Amino acid sequence: QVHLVESGGGSVQAGGSLRLSCVASGTIFSINAMGWYRQAPGEQRELVAAIMSGGSTNYVDSVKGRFTISRDNAKNTVYLQMNSLKPEDTAVYYCNADPYLWSWGQGTQVTVSS
């Protein structure tokens, strides 16, 4: 069974930065495309960034140029560096495979104030 643990969220002012981490256990991490998802109150969960097993990346338009996804296969960890944060980035952030395969972790809350 795959277990996902997200961390690194917090409360920041607009323009600030945060770095999220997600550790995956119970899977051959390196073969999976991984993604960061977010869910704002009253909204559906959306994929915001993905990284393929080979390292290529994709981003939703709203975060392009501000967010960077990366991975460390030796540590079974995927990261999301978030810069120039905006209030509309406020959400609970989750990681999972892309497309999602496993049960969701607890997520990490990101709150951006104006």
Side-chain angles (χ1 to χ4, degrees):
Q1 183 174 351
V2 177
H3 188 51
L4 302 167
V5 179
E6 300 92 349
S7 63
S11 297
V12 297
Q13 291 191 326
S17 297
L18 287 171
R19 189 190 193 210
L20 307 184
S21 300
C22 170
V23 180
S25 59
T27 181
I28 305 174
F29 178 82
S30 61
I31 68 172
N32 292 108
M34 293 295 296
W36 278 98
Y37 301 74
R38 68 185 179 189
Q39 187 168 21
E43 302 289 335
Q44 288 194 334
R45 196 169 303 184
E46 66 168 342
L47 176 67
V48 297
I51 184 166
M52 307 304 117
S53 58
S56 60
T57 58
N58 292 301
Y59 301 91
V60 69
D61 285 347
S62 59
V63 308
K64 281 181 181 176
R66 301 188 297 121
F67 290 10
T68 303
I69 189 171
S70 60
R71 64 192 298 162
D72 185 336
N73 290 336
K75 296 182 178 180
N76 277 17
T77 301
V78 60
Y79 304 97
L80 186 67
Q81 177 67 44
M82 305 187 296
N83 299 327
S84 302
L85 282 161
K86 302 176 180 180
E88 51 263 44
D89 295 318
T90 295
V92 180
Y93 284 72
Y94 304 86
C95 72
N96 210 308
D98 174 32
Y100 80 90
L101 294 172
W102 310 306
S103 296
W104 297 96
Q106 84 287 350
T108 187
Q109 175 71 49
V110 172
T111 303
V112 185
S113 58
S114 58

